Amino acid sequence: MSKQVRVISRLDIKAPNLIKGIRLEGLRVMGDPQTFVCQYYAQGIDEILYMDVVASLYERSSLHDVIRHAVERVFVPITVGGGIRSLQDATEILSLGADKIAINTAAVKQPELIAEIARQAGSQAVVLSVECKREQQGWQVYTDNGREKTGRDVIDWVKQAQQLGVGEILLTSVDREGTRKGYDLELLQAVSDAVQLPIIASGGFGELIHASQAAAVKNVTAVAVADGLHYKRFTVKQIKQQLSADGFAVRTV
Amino acid sequence: MMIQVIDTKTNNLSNVLRALSACKLEFEVIYTAAELRGGSVVVLPGVGAFASCMTSLNEAGFSAALKSHLTRGGKLLGICVGMQAMARFSTEFGQHAGLGFFDAKVEHLAHTSNVPVITPNVNWLPLQSEHGRFAEFNGAHVYFVHSYHMCQFKEPALIAGTVDYAGQSVCAIVDQGPVIGFQFHPEKSGEIGLRILAHSIALLQNTEPMPLSHTA
């Protein structure tokens, strides 16, 4: 049986709005995330990923409202990332009805937080979000939406995180984010070779074929699409049709 | 017939409640075995680890009470770890006893496969349920997120649906009349998931109770 691939809608949130930027900078307000999410749900989206790109304590309750509204209408898995700094932050997000939390900055600063959340909520609820920038050799881990260097090598980091119990890896190429040039396939391949975890490819989707290119990498089980859907350049159905035409199994509704 | 949802202190409780509401079903949430009402349809949601689910069931008195509930005409629907809890035991983080409603055990997906398996299995997979009471959902994609699965059934006929994952046939639905279990999450499986949830509740409400001598 051919590999099953999910299509995930990534919504970058500056609560209460959906925003979109290029290389995680230069934010543009798109509108009410709920409107977008309900359309994608009707089109057969497989999963929703909210990334709080500001993650200030000030607008935290506004993000919570975004999740609360979504879970009332959208009966597919929801992942929330951005600003999760403690077990309590994670528990709070999950109790609102999110299925998974994505964690980046806090995990880098405090890797044992991964194990702590995994013990409490299960590995399946913990997605390691890795923001990667190309170096001369390999890729470096960044935090704070690609602004802060960590000095850590992506491959070393994902191996360590696997040991600590993450359930999935959201692998974002900061270089490709918002460029529509396609996912960083070498990055996906390198991480796929390093860990036995499902990978969500993120950053760079611009053409339908990009989804299939990413899906062809062994451990990539999902592709995240942001502005390709937000600007209505493609529908969920078109992306799935392409994946299906290229030999991948997709969920049909 | 009343629907009672057990609060197993896991995170999918609120999602299961919202899904029941979306199916226009009324329910109450219960916390201890003393709240069980004769003949009710009990929903047992669960995510996370098997042992913590069993601990929470044991502490609230449900482990013993559910068995007698079933003998007195009650029904049970288990979801994900809530289904796994109905096996004899699980090998997740040591060996832990389950409720024993199914003569089966719960094993890691990689331990029952000859080929490497990516876990957790986080996937929408198409149901294979040609026979039995879920035949109308044959081919429907439903959402899975798990690393352990129910297997080695003494009575394989109780498996009402499977999915293929990495070349392995994985139990997705168990059905023995008054007791139904889903390994997938109907509450997160879109509109078809809501229909499967509503269907299973309707089945339980119309199923004759079965003497528990029939179970493990």
Side-chain angles (χ1 to χ4, degrees):
Chain A
M1 192 186 141
S2 48
K3 180 168 84 172
Q4 195 84 29
V5 179
R6 284 133 60 218
V7 177
I8 298 179
S9 152
R10 174 177 174 145
L11 294 97
D12 289 341
I13 303 291
K14 181 178 187 296
N17 289 311
L18 168 66
I19 56 105
K20 190 61 200 112
I22 295 176
R23 294 190 186 87
L24 304 177
E25 289 172 45
L27 310 180
R28 173 183 163 181
V29 172
M30 303 283 301
D32 178 4
Q34 182 77 354
T35 315
F36 289 83
V37 157
C38 287
Q39 282 170 8
Y40 304 152
Y41 180 62
Q43 289 175 15
I45 199 75
D46 296 322
E47 192 166 321
I48 306 286
L49 166 64
Y50 292 106
M51 284 302 250
D52 182 354
V53 297
V54 182
S56 70
L57 294 173
Y58 172 71
E59 49 85 38
R60 209 61 186 162
S61 65
S62 187
L63 175 76
H64 289 179
D65 286 340
V66 169
I67 304 166
R68 272 193 204 97
H69 288 148
V71 296
E72 288 295 331
R73 298 278 300 280
V74 171
F75 294 95
V76 294
I78 293 175
T79 303
V80 178
I84 292 162
R85 298 178 179 88
S86 64
L87 177 62
Q88 194 194 332
D89 289 344
T91 312
E92 206 166 64
I93 297 280
L94 293 170
S95 70
L96 293 172
D99 300 85
K100 315 176 206 177
I101 55 100
I103 179 170
N104 174 15
T105 309
V108 171
K109 286 185 181 149
Q110 202 191 332
E112 62 281 11
L113 184 59
I114 296 172
E116 204 184 337
I117 301 173
R119 261 197 308 276
Q120 171 89 21
S123 284
Q124 85 293 331
V126 186
V127 178
L128 182 74
S129 167
V130 191
E131 294 166 4
C132 316
K133 275 194 197 176
R134 260 177 193 272
E135 306 271 282
Q136 286 202 304
Q137 282 268 302
W139 295 265
Q140 185 178 162
V141 178
Y142 276 67
T143 62
D144 299 282
N145 294 301
R147 287 190 299 270
E148 303 290 331
K149 288 186 176 187
T150 65
R152 295 216 55 172
D153 173 68
V154 166
I155 302 303
D156 291 344
W157 174 225
V158 295
K159 282 183 181 167
Q160 185 189 351
Q162 175 171 254
Q163 294 300 319
L164 290 166
V166 299
E168 266 180 293
I169 293 177
L170 168 68
L171 200 60
T172 303
S173 162
V174 177
D175 308 303
R176 296 295 179 90
E177 226 288 321
T179 65
R180 301 181 184 169
K181 288 181 179 167
Y183 299 97
D184 186 339
L185 300 175
E186 287 171 26
L187 169 66
L188 292 170
Q189 188 62 56
V191 173
S192 177
D193 290 341
V195 290
Q196 271 298 321
L197 287 168
I199 298 169
I200 303 165
S202 171
F205 175 90
E207 303 296 333
L208 292 174
I209 192 70
H210 294 155
S212 300
Q213 288 168 349
V217 176
K218 185 166 160 279
N219 287 3
V220 172
T221 56
V223 291
V225 180
D227 68 322
L229 290 170
H230 304 334
Y231 287 114
K232 300 196 168 43
R233 298 176 58 238
F234 303 103
T235 62
V236 175
K237 195 171 176 188
Q238 284 176 302
I239 300 169
K240 290 191 174 183
Q241 277 170 344
Q242 178 77 45
L243 285 165
S244 177
D246 290 326
F248 300 101
V250 290
R251 163 191 173 233
T252 48
V253 291
Chain B
M1 217 172 177
M2 165 139 228
I3 300 171
Q4 297 187 298
V5 186
I6 297 180
D7 181 2
T8 43
K9 310 286 184 291
T10 54
N11 286 313
N12 68 339
L13 175 71
S14 70
N15 290 321
V16 169
L17 300 184
R18 273 188 292 272
L20 288 168
S21 296
C23 295
K24 310 259 187 299
L25 293 164
E26 288 183 16
F27 53 82
E28 66 174 21
V29 179
I30 57 172
Y31 305 88
T32 67
E35 296 169 87
L36 282 171
R37 297 202 204 175
S40 73
V41 174
V42 176
V43 179
L44 178 58
V47 284
F50 184 94
S52 59
C53 178
M54 285 311 300
T55 304
S56 116
L57 286 177
N58 289 334
E59 282 173 358
F62 282 113
S63 301
L66 279 174
K67 198 156 204 162
S68 61
H69 183 68
L70 291 174
T71 56
R72 290 182 284 115
K75 312 291 171 61
L76 179 62
L77 173 65
I79 297 173
C80 194
V81 177
M83 158 177 145
Q84 295 180 0
M86 304 193 294
R88 275 199 302 127
F89 67 92
S90 168
T91 59
E92 183 177 8
F93 304 126
Q95 186 160 321
H96 303 278
L99 297 167
F101 298 155
F102 289 88
D103 194 342
K105 65 185 204 173
V106 177
E107 277 273 19
H108 196 275
L109 285 164
H111 295 166
T112 51
S113 172
N114 301 321
V115 295
V117 182
I118 298 177
T119 56
N121 169 26
V122 186
N123 269 308
W124 290 85
L125 296 170
L127 278 177
Q128 297 168 2
S129 57
E130 297 89 342
H131 310 291
R133 299 198 292 173
F134 291 87
E136 67 187 275
F137 301 105
N138 187 37
H141 284 81
V142 290
Y143 182 70
F144 289 81
V145 46
H146 66 126
S147 295
Y148 286 77
H149 67 126
M150 215 194 253
C151 57
Q152 297 179 21
F153 282 79
K154 192 176 170 197
E155 286 183 75
L158 299 178
I159 301 171
T162 60
V163 289
D164 178 280
Y165 180 59
Q168 185 170 198
S169 177
V170 174
C171 174
I173 306 174
V174 288
D175 179 6
Q176 63 158 338
V179 185
I180 292 174
F182 298 133
Q183 179 59 66
F184 57 92
H185 289 276
E187 78 280 12
K188 285 286 173 177
S189 295
E191 299 301 310
I192 197 87
L194 297 180
R195 278 175 46 208
I196 292 173
L197 182 63
H199 178 75
S200 64
I201 297 282
L203 285 176
L204 291 172
Q205 288 177 331
N206 296 311
T207 297
E208 288 301 308
M210 204 183 282
L212 259 201
S213 56
H214 196 79
T215 70

